[in-house]
Amino acid sequence: MALEQELSALAVDIAAEAGELAHRRRAEGVSISASKSALADIVTEADREVENLIRDRLSAARPGDGFLGEESEADRGTTGITWVVDPIDGTVNYAYGIPSYAVSIAAVSGEPDPRAWQALAGAVYAPALGEMFRAERGGGAWLGDERLRVNSDLNPAGSLLATGFGYDPATHAPQLALLGRVMPLARDIRRIGVASLDLAYVAAGRLDGYFERGLNPWDHAAGVLMVQEAGGIAVGVDGGAPSRDMTIVGGEQLVDRLAAIVFGEQGIPT
Ligand code: LIP
């Protein structure tokens, strides 16, 4: 079995178990443990419990791999493979009882930095929605047995775009200004609140494109691979890899138009 297939199968198995745990804990009632970068940036006990389960399962299956998760200390590992994990992406949705949230698990090789790594496999599992998205480099992106493809043509009615806003209120004014500049491209906007599902939905053709500033590596590691394996492209600043500065994904024609607006002539997010 190729390494990518092995990593993808492991990511899917663990995402399934972790997602069911998150789903059970949600049904039992969720308690907020703390705020992180801002008052609105919350972590629940379930986030921590789910990440611990994922970390334990990965360590048992592949000792020596690195780990980069949202809720625990990073570990570089010794094998050149790092697992990039968001145990519950869409934590605010999860805390409010909105069923859109997902477990996102990706395996990358090289430096554990989105500007340097090569994503090899990923799984995004939405337990409340019963959907497991998966991808492996060179093996396509899938929802169950359905192979995923982005919408490569521009829709004359405009593009269905998703985006998001940071937890820090100080970021909202520039993000809303950017949204205003992007609107002429859009037929409508969706704000799902789960970056990994935004990305998986672009891969599945449920969205035409997605852009967001301020994403963490674990928000986009798996979903960006899905978009790429579904025939789409993913860019950040100066046409580089997606990063905290900006993530833009979709079919090539749309991404070119979005990037021209987002970055302007200076090549930086405006
Ligand atoms: C969230 C993302 C969302 C973004 C939020 C936050 P979390 O991840 O999925 O798209 O807009 O600011 O980063 O915090 O729920 O894991």
Side-chain angles (χ1 to χ4, degrees):
M1 177 185 286
L3 176 60
E4 290 82 357
Q5 288 176 307
E6 175 202 333
L7 297 173
S8 174
L10 185 58
V12 166
D13 286 349
I14 295 175
E17 182 183 2
E20 291 315 315
L21 173 60
H23 200 207
R24 280 198 309 278
R25 292 294 180 258
R26 177 57 261 183
E28 294 162 358
V30 166
S31 60
I32 294 170
S33 300
S35 291
K36 299 184 290 186
S37 64
L39 264 180
D41 183 5
I42 57 174
V43 57
T44 70
E45 281 304 322
D47 285 277
R48 291 171 171 161
E49 184 183 8
V50 171
E51 182 159 316
N52 289 337
L53 179 142
I54 294 168
R55 195 159 190 162
D56 290 346
R57 294 289 186 275
L58 288 170
S59 177
R62 290 182 53 89
D65 283 1
F67 188 88
L68 176 61
E70 181 169 21
E71 310 302 351
S72 59
E73 286 302 308
D75 171 3
R76 282 192 69 94
T78 58
T79 63
I81 300 291
T82 300
W83 293 92
V84 186
V85 172
D86 192 337
I88 299 177
D89 188 22
T91 298
V92 174
N93 286 354
Y94 184 75
Y96 275 76
I98 298 171
S100 291
Y101 60 90
V103 175
S104 182
I105 299 176
V108 303
S109 64
E111 280 298 303
D113 179 326
R115 291 160 299 187
W117 71 40
Q118 182 178 64
L120 301 179
V124 173
Y125 179 48
L129 307 174
E131 293 191 317
M132 175 73 78
F133 297 88
R134 71 184 195 278
E136 57 194 65
R137 180 169 295 280
W142 302 82
L143 172 58
D145 294 331
E146 177 195 353
R147 180 132 190 189
L148 305 182
R149 298 296 299 175
V150 300
N151 296 333
S152 51
D153 299 327
L154 288 175
N155 191 317
S159 299
L160 188 60
L161 301 177
T163 191
F165 305 102
Y167 287 121
D168 179 357
T171 65
H172 292 169
Q175 288 172 337
L176 287 168
L178 174 57
L179 182 59
R181 293 198 300 277
V182 165
M183 275 315 283
L185 289 183
R187 67 186 300 162
D188 204 346
I189 296 291
R190 296 290 182 268
R191 197 314 189 220
I192 296 168
V194 193
S196 57
L197 287 182
D198 289 319
L199 293 159
Y201 290 176
V202 170
R206 295 178 179 175
L207 291 168
D208 293 308
Y210 165 62
F211 67 98
E212 185 163 352
R213 187 172 186 176
L215 293 184
N216 288 302
W218 42 80
D219 291 322
H220 62 72
V224 162
L225 176 63
M226 289 174 192
V227 169
Q228 294 168 331
E229 286 297 316
I233 62 171
V235 298
V237 175
D238 293 336
S243 70
R244 187 182 302 280
D245 288 332
M246 187 53 71
T247 295
I248 306 175
V249 301
E252 185 169 4
Q253 293 185 74
L254 176 59
V255 170
D256 286 349
R257 284 164 173 77
L258 277 172
I261 294 169
V262 170
F263 298 123
E265 291 71 32
Q266 298 80 13
I268 53 176
T270 52

